[in-house]
Amino acid sequence: MVKTLSFEEPLVQLRSKITELKEFTSNTEVDLSKEIEQLEERFTNLEKDIYHHLRPWDRVQIARHPERPTTLDYIHELFDDFIELHGDRTFGDDAAIVGGIACFEGTPITIIGHQRGKDTKENIRRNFGMPHPEGYRKALRLMKQAEKFKRPIICFIDTKGAYPGKAAEERGQSEAIARNLLEMAGLKVPIISIVIGEGGSGGALALGVANHVHMLENSTYSVISPEGAASILWKDAALAQKAAEAMRITAPDLKEENIIEEIIPEVLGGAHKDVHKQAQFLKDVLQSSLDKLKDLSEEELIEQRYHKFRKIGTFSDKDFQKTSDKLK
Amino acid sequence: MIMSIRDLFKKNKPNKNITITREQHSVPEGIMTKCPECNHVMLTKDLQKNKKVCPNCQYHHKMTAKERIDDFLDEGSFQSIDDHLQTVNPLNFPGYIEKVTSDMQKTGLNEAVLTGVGELEGRQVVVAVMDSFFRMGSMGSVVGEKITRAIEKATELSAPFIVFTASGGARMQEGVISLMQMAKTSVALERHGAKGNLFISIMTHPTTGGVSASFASLGDINLAEPKALIGFAGRRVIEQTVREKLPNDFQTAEFLLEHGQLDAVVSRHEMRKTVSTIVKLHVREAI
């Protein structure tokens, strides 16, 4: 049984009414097929209406859906010959980040992504997809390896954030994230990052300094979770819904800000409804992205990545007089 | 006089613990300063003279960006850049611009970082000094842009880039654009470094969140002032997550040094000399 989200309630109710009527007709002589047909039509319309008018908070809920496909789900759908590679060679192996080598449509690639669990047991093992420094250092090791063998790098972003723990601080969580930002900037191979679920702050960005950044339609990318924003800005975590709208964290918002390249459409109702079909949508975008990047030279790749991030920022540098007035 | 039972329990005596009304300041505001670390009371003038370091316990009081420049660079050598950049309100947060404007007046800066070119014992350097009195030193678009431009200036001049960090992290009010400033400053640092240029990061109290997880940690040499709070996540968040008491020195400069995250902890009195020596040792021609 797939978990239903609050905004899906009307659909669930209508569906149960239809099922009820169907059962009723099969047990009696009365013919209600016309009514059922009408209800089915109403269902389809309602479904379209709801899923095509998702509010930011609805998208947050879809992005956090327990059955939402994870990095490993997409790896198995999209790539052949996947071999997982473990460890940072310094401290340990962080199960909150998976990585390895595989084949995408005939091209060897390196794949790295945050990995959540789908049940409590797996979530505990994978620390709910919240990496420690060794996770980011494993990612960096695999990226450097990809560079050596001239393989494109594909990153899947899906984390609430880097883990805020004692051991993480002791081993340099800040440095591990910062190092990835800097090193990714200088890699001589194409990098494509796709936000597949939640893109939470620095912990997400540490896999996100790419030539192309794409987002699934119902994924989010933000400086802080809506709950965190609400508690900082209004001292009330219950206002998360309002914060989700104010903070502009959905794929359409980021596309508008020119921070991401493409929004990858999702199957109606969210990626969890049909992983196989969803993977196809990902595959199309990945393929066209790789095609666009494959002819760039090493220098051009670095240059393109530099300009992509260099230009992000909203400020005014015209009103010189006004600023100096304010300072007086 | 007949008293009811209830009256027996009534407080009718004047309160024994008389609260002494505090004597109205016989000393004007600001003449004396109390050290938040050891409660030592001293003349503000003496504290200033001692580089804002408590003479009793060596606690390093926060410096404004301007005080830092005056203390660190050769006198009169500093030329600021990009003072005209101005914060806008991309998410239309109510009151945001008003808060920024009020901090502009308070600090005399256009944003939470002061950048420019100057000299350190006669050698040209580019510096960026964050000011925690301006919106907690948080990083939004203007801070990210000013730091990036300063890095690019240093790259262009083949000069060392020196940053003094003091920041609570990314600025919430600018949303994901603030997050992306971490990437922006880092890509600029990559270029600076790829050309063989020096970057020295000096972390001062406090350096946390998105700033600590980007340029602050990326120095060829990472220094910190004594007792500075440096970390990724806030102490309270960590305590709630791990449900254990954290050691007192957790996330201090000394704690980071012990865990291999810093090259050195340097007192403010030694900072100018130390950094100047590091710069000297990176001059490519013979010294």
Side-chain angles (χ1 to χ4, degrees):
Chain A
M1 178 67 193
V2 175
K3 186 192 163 208
T4 51
L5 304 169
S6 57
F7 62 90
E8 295 174 314
E9 276 310 320
L11 286 174
V12 178
Q13 279 170 17
L14 194 55
R15 174 52 67 200
S16 73
K17 216 177 262 174
I18 295 170
T19 322
E20 216 172 88
L21 276 184
K22 275 184 181 163
E23 261 172 41
F24 182 71
T25 28
S26 63
N27 295 335
T28 56
E29 300 288 299
V30 198
D31 180 23
L32 289 170
S33 59
K34 217 169 181 184
E35 283 79 359
I36 291 173
E37 209 173 283
Q38 272 178 354
L39 282 179
E40 286 283 9
E41 203 189 308
R42 229 174 87 192
F43 184 84
T44 320
N45 287 337
L46 185 66
E47 198 177 42
K48 270 189 198 150
D49 189 49
I50 287 179
Y51 290 133
H52 287 165
H53 297 96
L54 290 173
R55 301 170 64 80
W57 184 247
D58 302 336
R59 293 193 199 273
V60 170
Q61 286 176 281
I62 297 178
R64 290 174 179 175
H65 198 288
E67 276 113 303
R68 190 164 176 84
T70 65
T71 294
L72 283 174
D73 291 326
Y74 289 124
I75 287 178
H76 293 132
E77 288 285 340
L78 290 169
F79 310 121
D80 300 318
D81 301 331
F82 173 64
I83 294 178
E84 186 174 352
L85 302 172
H86 294 272
D88 71 342
R89 298 293 184 274
T90 304
F91 180 81
D93 182 41
D94 188 348
I97 287 187
V98 295
I101 47 176
C103 192
F104 177 70
E105 303 293 297
T107 312
I109 49 112
T110 285
I111 162 84
I112 299 159
H114 299 102
Q115 184 63 43
R116 291 178 291 114
K118 285 196 176 174
D119 52 48
T120 311
K121 200 176 153 200
E122 202 198 350
N123 256 325
I124 287 168
R125 186 167 82 82
R126 300 203 177 273
N127 202 29
F128 296 82
M130 298 164 86
H132 279 75
E134 53 271 24
Y136 294 112
R137 289 175 182 140
K138 167 167 74 176
L140 182 58
R141 179 177 77 83
L142 297 181
M143 289 187 211
K144 289 279 187 188
Q145 186 191 64
E147 185 179 44
K148 174 177 174 184
F149 296 104
K150 301 193 191 313
R151 288 192 290 263
I153 299 165
I154 296 165
C155 295
F156 288 146
I157 294 173
D158 186 16
T159 184
K160 290 185 187 305
Y163 187 64
K166 182 168 174 260
E169 296 284 333
E170 286 171 348
R171 297 200 286 274
Q173 188 73 289
S174 286
E175 196 273 345
I177 293 170
R179 183 64 49 202
N180 279 18
L181 304 182
L182 182 129
E183 295 285 350
M184 285 181 89
L187 288 175
K188 295 174 188 145
V189 292
I191 311 174
I192 299 167
S193 293
I194 302 179
V195 187
I196 58 170
E198 283 183 277
S201 199
L205 187 64
L207 297 184
V209 184
N211 294 93
H212 289 170
V213 181
H214 308 302
M215 282 175 79
L216 288 193
E217 194 185 333
N218 295 316
S219 62
T220 59
Y221 203 167
S222 61
V223 66
I224 187 171
S225 70
E227 288 81 358
S231 70
I232 289 177
L233 294 167
W234 303 304
K235 316 256 175 274
D236 185 0
L239 294 172
Q241 203 161 335
K242 187 178 159 197
E245 296 189 6
M247 298 293 285
R248 295 179 50 82
I249 60 175
T250 67
D253 294 328
L254 271 88
K255 173 76 182 155
E256 220 170 274
E257 299 285 353
N258 255 325
I259 292 172
I260 60 164
E261 271 66 32
E262 292 205 42
I263 301 172
I264 303 174
E266 288 193 25
V267 292
L268 199 66
H272 58 282
K273 303 267 180 181
D274 189 342
V275 186
H276 184 66
K277 203 169 154 198
Q278 187 60 53
Q280 279 302 314
F281 294 158
L282 252 87
K283 187 174 163 183
D284 295 343
V285 173
L286 259 183
Q287 188 67 66
S288 82
S289 232
L290 279 173
D291 285 346
K292 279 180 205 154
L293 295 171
K294 74 169 194 286
D295 293 328
L296 298 186
S297 69
E298 293 178 349
E299 291 74 32
E300 284 168 335
L301 282 168
I302 294 171
E303 191 76 9
Q304 189 270 347
R305 217 178 291 132
Y306 179 81
H307 287 292
K308 173 174 169 54
F309 290 94
R310 176 64 187 87
K311 68 173 200 279
I312 302 177
T314 321
F315 55 87
S316 149
D317 65 354
K318 294 186 191 99
D319 221 346
F320 180 66
Q321 194 54 46
K322 212 167 139 199
T323 316
S324 4
D325 280 350
K326 277 185 187 173
L327 288 177
K328 270 169 201 164
Chain B
M1 197 167 71
I2 303 157
M3 279 170 81
S4 75
I5 289 286
R6 196 184 293 172
D7 287 341
L8 280 174
F9 300 99
K10 216 176 185 177
K11 270 192 189 169
N12 48 9
K13 278 185 214 161
N15 199 336
K16 269 185 190 167
N17 310 315
I18 300 162
T19 43
I20 300 161
T21 45
R22 201 184 268 179
E23 219 165 286
Q24 285 309 308
H25 297 289
S26 51
V27 187
E29 191 80 39
I31 287 235
M32 306 295 285
T33 301
K34 188 162 135 185
C35 175
E37 186 76 4
C38 70
N39 291 332
H40 177 70
V41 179
M42 65 210 121
L43 282 169
T44 307
K45 201 173 64 186
D46 289 346
L47 181 66
Q48 293 284 0
K49 247 188 246 163
N50 200 32
K51 297 179 187 282
K52 288 183 114 175
V53 176
C54 173
N56 190 43
C57 72
Q58 303 303 310
Y59 178 79
H60 285 49
H61 291 241
K62 285 183 199 166
M63 271 181 151
T64 67
K66 286 179 174 169
E67 286 169 340
R68 180 76 65 179
I69 294 282
D70 288 345
D71 176 58
F72 182 70
L73 291 177
D74 296 354
E75 209 182 322
S77 71
F78 180 70
Q79 287 288 328
S80 68
I81 52 173
D82 301 316
D83 292 321
H84 62 292
L85 298 188
Q86 216 178 328
T87 293
V88 296
N89 193 354
L91 301 180
N92 295 314
F93 260 105
Y96 177 45
I97 291 299
E98 287 75 6
K99 282 177 184 159
V100 168
T101 310
S102 124
D103 281 2
M104 284 167 76
Q105 280 151 358
K106 192 172 85 185
T107 60
L109 303 171
N110 64 329
E111 251 293 351
V113 67
L114 178 59
T115 55
V117 185
E119 285 183 5
L120 181 61
E121 299 197 332
R123 287 188 187 81
Q124 188 180 50
V125 292
V126 178
V127 291
V129 183
M130 302 187 84
D131 194 317
S132 63
F133 296 96
F134 195 119
R135 300 275 90 213
M136 296 264 290
S138 60
M139 174 163 65
S141 288
V142 173
V143 170
E145 181 70 20
K146 283 186 82 173
I147 289 174
T148 306
R149 288 190 189 186
I151 298 166
E152 288 171 337
K153 185 85 181 164
T155 314
E156 178 196 317
L157 297 169
S158 298
F161 176 63
I162 299 166
V163 68
F164 284 88
T165 61
S167 173
R171 190 171 294 169
M172 299 301 134
Q173 288 88 344
E174 292 186 29
V176 74
I177 299 175
S178 296
L179 178 69
M180 293 298 154
Q181 302 309 308
M182 294 168 64
K184 179 158 101 181
T185 50
S186 300
V187 299
L189 280 175
E190 198 279 333
R191 268 198 175 185
H192 182 71
K195 296 201 168 132
N197 295 309
L198 175 65
F199 168 39
I200 302 170
S201 170
I202 300 150
M203 293 175 243
T204 72
H205 181 78
T207 298
T208 59
V211 166
S212 116
S214 59
F215 57 88
S217 299
L218 291 173
D220 295 299
I221 291 171
N222 289 337
L223 306 177
E225 284 195 333
K227 301 249 176 78
L229 169 78
I230 305 162
F232 176 67
R235 188 190 181 96
R236 218 155 25 105
V237 177
I238 298 172
E239 268 174 341
Q240 278 163 10
T241 320
V242 299
R243 298 191 186 286
E244 66 175 292
K245 194 93 181 78
L246 297 166
N248 276 337
D249 71 340
F250 188 65
Q251 293 183 324
T252 58
E254 291 73 14
F255 175 90
L256 265 80
L257 183 70
E258 195 187 317
H259 286 89
Q261 307 296 336
L262 284 176
D263 288 294
V265 176
V266 179
S267 104
R268 199 172 283 164
H269 295 288
E270 301 298 320
M271 192 61 83
R272 186 174 140 86
K273 187 81 212 130
T274 306
V275 177
S276 172
T277 307
I278 294 171
V279 169
K280 186 179 88 180
L281 292 173
H282 285 78
V283 175
R284 272 164 256 178
E285 304 85 55
I287 296 160

